[in-house]
Amino acid sequence: MLNAVATAALAGWYLLRAMVFLLAFAGAGSVWPRIPAGRYRLGLHLALAAVLGMGWGGLLMLVLGLAGLWNPWLLGAIVVVMLIRGAWFVSRLVAMPGQLPSAPAVRLSVLEFILIGISAVCAANVTVGALAPDSAQDSLSYHLSCARAWVEWGRIIAWPSVWPSNYSVHGSLLYSLLLSFGDGIDCSLLYATQGFLTYAIAALFAGHWFGRMAAVWTWFLCATAHAANVWFVPINAGSDLTVAMFVTAGILLGVDSLFAVSESAGGAGSLSRLLSASLLIGFAAV
């Protein structure tokens, strides 16, 4: 009984840390470029800000790492500033419901309840897998090797003893940030969160364009595909979802900006969304 309580408490602590970092990333992504309120609902605003924030967070780690400034106190201060900005950003969005589109109050159908329930079970399966200690060969041999070495050195240095990573530098930079304060489980939870953000953005854009049923089906199809993969290959620190997150957000945001035809969607708002989409594609390519 005591072991179960301790395990649950430890899992809750890791999930709380993941939420804190997610809020900090949303804060970083809300600084620039700002996606104007009025076109997207609250969930899509927050998801896009979080993805943009991961992009900026990785870029900042790159600059500081090349300069040899990976000091834990400096990184901690930056995370605190991002967190304060994130709390302000979320409170501001919540406090302006009149400026954000709202969904019509329609009862869910039985089919929607079933699809949402299965999706929730899939999400729980992915989360539990991410909470397990990362023992995958890929993670231990190369996915986290660059990140761990850079954290130990306090800077980014090319070194033959670091096993080459098969994923973008951006992923290593984000893992380095988390490893400065946590361990491999934090990295696995970040990777799982990137998966959630990927199909959340896909579902929210589907709902934005085609309605709630399209959003539910999109979420269901992405969630079950993700969970099926995790069933055979437990979630760990990987690479594919990092790139997929940036690409999905960038392409869908770009398409929505290019094909927005209403007058209220044009002007500076469209330019800001196109700039955000371009940055997201660039983050995926790093």
Side-chain angles (χ1 to χ4, degrees):
M1 181 64 180
L2 182 60
N3 287 340
V5 173
T7 300
L10 184 60
W13 173 238
Y14 274 108
L15 291 173
L16 178 61
R17 280 155 50 172
M19 293 173 63
V20 167
F21 274 104
L22 185 61
L23 181 59
F25 285 131
S30 68
V31 176
W32 187 86
R34 297 182 182 179
I35 299 177
R39 180 166 179 79
Y40 303 133
R41 294 173 184 165
L42 177 63
L44 189 50
H45 263 291
L46 294 176
L48 290 172
V51 177
L52 270 171
M54 289 186 193
W56 287 125
L59 184 60
L60 179 62
M61 289 293 288
L62 176 61
V63 173
L64 294 177
L66 292 174
L69 297 176
W70 274 8
N71 181 285
W73 291 101
L74 176 60
L75 294 179
I78 292 173
V79 171
V80 169
V81 172
M82 291 165 53
L83 186 60
I84 294 173
R85 170 72 187 191
W88 176 85
F89 173 64
V90 173
S91 63
R92 178 173 170 270
L93 284 180
V94 173
M96 48 186 285
Q99 300 182 44
L100 296 175
S102 58
V106 180
R107 293 184 60 184
L108 295 175
S109 66
V110 175
L111 177 59
E112 288 173 321
F113 266 117
I114 293 174
L115 295 177
I116 292 173
I118 295 175
S119 299
V121 171
C122 291
N125 177 46
V126 172
T127 303
V128 171
L131 285 166
D134 195 342
S135 59
Q137 178 181 349
D138 288 356
S139 300
L140 300 180
S141 61
Y142 57 86
H143 273 310
L144 294 177
S145 61
C146 290
R148 291 187 187 279
W150 290 342
V151 170
E152 290 180 5
W153 298 333
R155 64 184 305 151
I156 296 176
I157 304 176
W159 197 258
S161 62
V162 178
W163 193 279
S165 171
N166 74 335
Y167 63 111
S168 66
V169 174
H170 221 116
S172 297
L173 295 167
L174 291 174
Y175 291 147
S176 295
L177 177 61
L178 268 63
L179 289 173
S180 299
F181 307 101
D183 54 31
I185 294 179
D186 294 295
C187 297
S188 296
L189 282 172
L190 174 66
Y191 192 57
T193 301
Q194 290 172 343
F196 294 148
L197 286 171
T198 300
Y199 53 84
I201 288 175
L204 290 168
F205 267 114
H208 178 68
W209 293 332
F210 305 112
R212 189 181 67 192
M213 197 62 185
V216 173
W217 271 109
T218 301
W219 184 281
F220 170 78
L221 293 174
C222 294
T224 50
H226 188 192
N229 178 68
V230 172
W231 183 268
F232 296 102
V233 183
I235 195 73
N236 48 61
S239 61
D240 300 335
L241 293 177
T242 307
V243 176
M245 177 187 67
F246 287 129
V247 170
T248 300
I251 290 178
L252 295 182
L253 181 59
V255 168
D256 185 70
S257 301
L258 288 172
F259 288 92
V261 294
S262 64
E263 184 177 351
S264 61
S270 287
L271 290 177
S272 178
R273 289 191 295 271
L274 283 172
L275 178 58
S276 299
S278 301
L279 284 170
L280 289 166
I281 297 297
F283 291 147
V286 174

